[in-house]
Structure formats: C-alpha cells, structure tokens
Amino acid sequence: MCFSTITIIIDEQKSLVGTQKSLGFFNSAIRSKYTLFGVSAVTTGILAGFGLNFLLQFIFQKGIGLLYIVGIPEMYFDVVPAAGISMIEILVAIAATYAACHTLLKLSAVELVSGQASLKRVRKRAAKSKNVKKGASIYSRLIRRNMLNDIVRVIISVVIISASCSMIGAGFTLKFAFSDMIDNQLTDVYKYDVSINYPTGKDFEDEIKKTEELIAESGAVYSKAGSSITIYHVGDLKEYSTVTILNSMAHPDYYSVIDYFTGEEMKIPEDGVLIQSRLYERTGLEVGDKITLYKPDLGKVDVEVKGVYNNYVGRDLVMSDSAYKKFTGEDFVNNVMFIKLKGADVNELEEQLRNVFPEATVNTPQSVRDSYKVLSMIYDMIVLILTGFAILMSIFILSNLTNIFVARRRKELIVMRVNGFSTKQCIGYLTKETVATTFISFIIAVVVGIFMAKLMISFIETDYTMYERSVSIKSWIFAIGMETIFAGIIDYLAFRKVKNLKVTDINE
C-alpha cells in the first residue's frame, strides 16, 4: 500500500521534486516527507488493527458462548508481540517508501521538471537479460522489457494477487474440509440412514418391541448393535470414548470400517479393539500395542490394538460383540438400531420413533449436521472475512498498481496511437502483461495456498475430528475465478483511460 500510493504521489509531483532539488534540497530531505506520510499511514492502520483485534475477540466470545457451557475467555492483548509486529510494519513502510522514491530521486532537477525520465540504464539491463530472446515476437520482447524495467511494481503486483487468491482459496478449503468431514462420516462410515439409541431392561421391553414393529411396517430394515461409554488411557492421555459394538457378520452393510493404511474394508476381530485414526495420529499406537480401557465398573483392562480405521467425527472405538464380552466379562446387550430406510420417509419415521419410544435418542443425517451448525456458520464467517480482505487488497493496492502501470506506459501508448494502433490494440498490449503477471500470481497462490491450508487444518483438527485433507480443487477454482473477476474489473477501469490519451500529453 505504501509503495503503490507513494509511487503515484511522487510521479504526480515530479515537477515539485525537481524544483526542490534545484533549490538545494538533499534527496534525504525530500524523501523524509514521503517517509513521514508512509509511517503515519501505517501507524493509523496499526491502531485500526488493534481495534479489529478486540472486535474479532468479541465475535469469538459470542461463538464460544453458543457452543459451550463454560466460562467465556476474557479479552486479551499481549504488548510484546503487538509492539514487535508494529515495529516490523513501520520498517516495511520505510523500506517501501525508499523503493518508491529511489528511481525518481536519482534523476536530475532538469529531467524531473521537464518530465524526461532517463531509462537508459534499465533498458540496457533489460537488453542484456537472457530472458529477452532475440527470436521472440515484438510483443513478447516489449512485455519482458517493460516487466524488467518496472520489476518492483511487478513483484508487488504478484505478491498482492497471490496473497488475495491464497486467502480466498484457504478460506474455502477450510469451509469445504469441515463440511466434507461431516459428509465423509455420514457416507463412508455410517451406511445406515437413521440410528436409535435406546435404554434397555424389562421396563422398556414393550417400547423396543413396538419400535421393531414400526420399522418393519414402514418397509425399512435394521441391524442391532451396541454402544458403551468408556475411558481410554495411553501414556499421559486419558479421555472418554464411545465403544461401538458391531456384529461381525452384519457390520459392512450398516457401519463401514475402512483401514487407515490400506483403504480397504476391515473385518471386526473376535478379540481386541480397533482404534480411530485421530487417536493413532496423536499417540502413535501401532497394531499389537496395548491400550488401557475402563470397564463399566471402572476396572481397568489392557486391550490389544488390532487395527486403525478411518473415523472423521467422534472418539469411537470398535469391537465385536465377542471381544466386548471378553473385555467386560459380561454378556453383550444391544442398545442401538441402525436403520436403512428402503424408501421410507425419514421425517415421518423419525417422528413416529420419537412418539413410540420417547426415552430413546433418534439421529438422522440432518440432526448430525444441525449439531455442527454453529461451527459451520463460523467457517462461513471466516470465508467472508478472508474474501473481504482480498477485495480490499485488490481495491486499494492492486488498483493503485494498475494505475501506475498505465501511467508509466502513457508515452509508449501515445506513440502506438500515432503509429496507427487502435485503442483496442493498445489495451490488448497492456492486457498481455497483466495476464502474464496474473498467471504467475495464480501459480504461486495455489502452491503457497495449498501448503497454508494444510497447515491450518493440522492446527484446527481436534482429538475427535479428522477434516478432509485432500486438495480442494473447487476451492481453488472459486479463488482463481473470484480474483480473476476482481483483477478484470480493476484492469477495465484503469485501461479506459487509454482512449482519452492525446498526442499533446507526450511531454507531460
């Protein structure tokens, strides 16, 4: 921002700078005025950033209040990193101001006042560059020369477009990684359409029987399974978990257990336990290792790990009914039904199940999604914030850089018009360079953005969530598409000035 803004200001004030030099002002004195402008602008931005910090903390507090019944964290401000970041930004502003003023301040007072800028040195460097091949087309050679002559502006343009595209792509990647995580759990692990967890015992025998009859009458089919709360203990880690007890014969049709390493369907072992993927990643438990589990009576038992399976949501451990009996020493009792609709209406069946068995918990795909609705809204907000920042960067920085680009090509464009080039051809000439710059930016954005998104996902994943980790192609299609639209609008507005160029402007 400092570079682009000060470049525009100092280009417009060439005559003033030339007059100051002719009156004996040193370059350092002239530069200090623009440095003060840059530093004061950045300082204002830093203060605004501190205000935004407290606003985001306030939004986060509200989100925590909706998700958890816990004490809401207080507002926090750490002076040391804030001061360090502020100092870095001020130094960057000083460096950007120096870069913006450097070339112009090397010119003599006569050249500045007359408007004649000496480009012999940079053109000589461009002519010697290996990148400018003699066999290339005139357009290609001109574009390469221009990019080398204006390398600082080109680099900053690439950085801004890359940063904007990376932010949008990373934001969409996080959003889709979260939503795909839920989809993966509902499609890759849960093969059923509805589940019902119910209490057992003689007091509920009638309700269980009526539930089974209701499912049969609706045309749906079901398989019984079990669910039990336990605590696992690995090293210093001790957490609660759910043990899902499956019938080794029926489980693939209702509950899929995919091997974490091979991607193939696993058989439920007759003894031992299958641990979920995030537990393996956090603890490094291998097949054959022992994990300590607590029985319902809180007695501890060491159980052998028989495999690792892909699980995206929850801390579920998986056992067969026979393995659970060996683990607890008690007979296994079904307390879960996995239901496949087979054409039955999910909403109608859900309502009937709740009426027949009020004490049971009925879960549908929609209810699972609803349980993560607040988190989904937070990710939507992240996407909006990152996209908003990208738009602001495009408007305030990229537009300035594009206007600088057009201003520095003004004489060249006037000569082209005098030599018979149409306005459309002149704009096409400018467009070729912006397309080349944008294309390079997109390559950098995708490479950096994919790495950045993976790093963010690794930090965000909890002990019971495994986000979708594959590259989200649709995220980068959205990001590149949106940034192309932003850049296209900015180029269109800046390139409209070409049709207003006059021959008499060549000496300005």
Side-chain angles (χ1 to χ4, degrees), residues 385-451:
I385 291 173
L386 292 177
T387 304
F389 277 129
I391 293 173
L392 290 175
M393 289 174 66
S394 297
I395 292 174
F396 292 110
I397 304 179
L398 192 58
S399 59
N400 279 349
L401 292 170
T402 306
N403 286 323
I404 292 170
F405 169 56
V406 174
R408 289 181 175 177
R409 299 288 172 270
R410 183 176 56 194
K411 293 182 180 180
E412 196 172 344
L413 292 169
I414 292 173
V415 172
M416 290 176 68
R417 292 295 303 277
V418 170
N419 286 315
F421 285 82
S422 66
T423 301
K424 185 177 180 181
Q425 288 174 316
C426 291
I427 292 176
Y429 168 62
L430 296 176
T431 303
K432 284 182 171 63
E433 181 176 333
T434 59
V435 168
T437 304
T438 304
F439 181 74
I440 294 170
S441 303
F442 286 161
I443 294 175
I444 296 173
V446 172
V447 173
V448 174
I450 288 174
F451 172 77

Side-chain angles (χ1 to χ4, degrees), residues 48 138 207 219 264 313 352 365:
I138 185 65
E207 285 83 353
E264 298 178 354
V313 178
Q352 291 174 343

Side-chain angles (χ1 to χ4, degrees), residues 50 68 147 209 434:
F50 292 159
Y68 305 108
M147 292 176 72
K209 185 178 180 180
T434 59

